[in-house]
C-alpha cells in the first residue's frame, strides 16, 4: 500500500488571516474561542480609500472623507486595493500602504463587530522608526477591545459597497490567529 504523510510548518499570520487577542496579549482569547457570529454571516460595509499611493498611510480623516460610517455590529472593510496591486512583488512589503493609529480609534468608536483590510494594519516597523506607543497600535487597540482583525484580504476591487461576509478562522487550539 502506497501512502503519503506530509508534515508542514506555517506561520498563523500568512496571507488572509484573522487575529485573536492572544496575538498581542498573553492572557487574551485564542482563535479557537472566537465567537463565529462576529465574522460569519455578518453585514460588511466597504470604506474605499483605494486612491492611496504606495507607501502612504490611511488616516481617520481619509475614512471620514469616504462618507461611509459603519453601524454598530457591522464589519468595517478598509479597501486600499494594495494586495491586488502589489501581491508577490517586492514593493508589497517595501512600500506597503498602512493604517495610521488614528484609524484604530475611528474604527473602535463605531462599535464594529470586526475590522477587515487589504493592507498592513499599522505603520510598518521595518520601514520607519516608530515611537513605542506606535508599535502594534491598531492591533493592541482592536484586540484589547475584542474586535477581531481580518487581514490581507484580496480582490476587494471586485466587490460591492456592502456584502455579507463569511470569514472562517482555522480553529487552531490555543493559537493567536
Amino acid at each position: 500500500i502506497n501512502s503519503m504523510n506530509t508534515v508542514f510548518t506555517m506561520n498563523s499570520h500568512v496571507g488572509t488571516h484573522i487575529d485573536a487577542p492572544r496575538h498581542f496579549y498573553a492572557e487574551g482569547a485564542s482563535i479557537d474561542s472566537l465567537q463565529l457570529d462576529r465574522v460569519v454571516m455578518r453585514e460588511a460595509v466597504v470604506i474605499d480609500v483605494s486612491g492611496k499611493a504606495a507607501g502612504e498611510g490611511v488616516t481617520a480623516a481619509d475614512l471620514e472623507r469616504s462618507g461611509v460610517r459603519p453601524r454598530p455590529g457591522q464589519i468595517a472593510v478598509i479597501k486600499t486595493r494594495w494586495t491586488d496591486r502589489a501581491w508577490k512583488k517586492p514593493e508589497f512589503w517595501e512600500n506597503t500602504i498602512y493604517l495610521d493609529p488614528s484609524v484604530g480609534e475611528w474604527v473602535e468608536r463605531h462599535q464594529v463587530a470586526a475590522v477587515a483590510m487589504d493592507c498592513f494594519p499599522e505603520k510598518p516597523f521595518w520601514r520607519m522608526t516608530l515611537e513605542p506607543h506606535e508599535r502594534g497600535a491598531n492591533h493592541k487597540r482592536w484586540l484589547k477591545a475584542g474586535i477581531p482583525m481580518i487581514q490581507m484580504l484580496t480582490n476587494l476591487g471586485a466587490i460591492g459597497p456592502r456584502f455579507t461576509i463569511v470569514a472562517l478562522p482555522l480553529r487552531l487550539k490555543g493559537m493567536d490567529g
Side-chain angles (χ1 to χ4, degrees):
I1 296 177
N2 291 330
S3 67
M4 181 175 178
N5 183 6
T6 303
V7 175
F8 69 95
T9 303
M10 184 175 107
N11 184 308
S12 61
H13 300 275
V14 170
T16 303
H17 65 280
I18 302 175
D19 282 354
R22 184 159 294 170
H23 182 38
F24 269 74
Y25 298 101
E27 300 303 318
S30 58
I31 195 68
D32 59 305
S33 65
L34 176 65
Q35 295 176 353
L36 292 181
D37 67 346
R38 300 285 302 250
V39 293
V40 175
M41 299 306 292
R42 179 75 65 161
E43 184 180 17
V45 60
V46 176
I47 305 166
D48 189 344
V49 289
S50 59
K52 286 290 177 179
E56 287 189 321
V58 174
T59 66
D62 295 323
L63 301 182
E64 276 294 315
R65 275 193 296 277
S66 77
V68 176
R69 305 291 181 276
R71 293 190 315 268
Q74 288 182 320
I75 294 179
V77 178
I78 301 168
K79 177 174 99 173
T80 67
R81 302 205 58 220
W82 185 242
T83 54
D84 297 347
R85 291 188 270 166
W87 186 247
K88 295 185 180 181
K89 297 176 185 172
E91 67 258 31
F92 183 80
W93 292 113
E94 292 170 10
N95 232 354
T96 188
I97 292 176
Y98 60 90
L99 304 181
D100 184 79
S102 64
V103 170
E105 298 166 20
W106 190 93
V107 167
E108 184 181 17
R109 192 169 53 246
H110 285 83
Q111 302 173 344
V112 297
V115 60
M117 70 230 52
D118 63 356
C119 63
F120 197 69
E122 51 237 339
K123 290 183 176 181
F125 57 86
W126 63 92
R127 208 179 81 209
M128 56 182 68
T129 303
L130 304 182
E131 296 294 324
H133 70 277
E134 294 177 306
R135 286 189 68 91
N138 290 330
H139 274 93
K140 291 173 185 172
R141 174 178 292 280
W142 292 328
L143 297 176
K144 186 174 188 178
I147 300 171
M149 299 172 63
I150 307 167
Q151 293 182 56
M152 299 300 173
L153 295 174
T154 60
N155 297 320
L156 287 182
I159 203 152
R162 294 183 187 276
F163 62 97
T164 300
I165 196 167
V166 177
L168 293 170
L170 294 174
R171 292 190 70 96
L172 301 171
K173 188 169 178 63
M175 299 295 287
D176 58 329

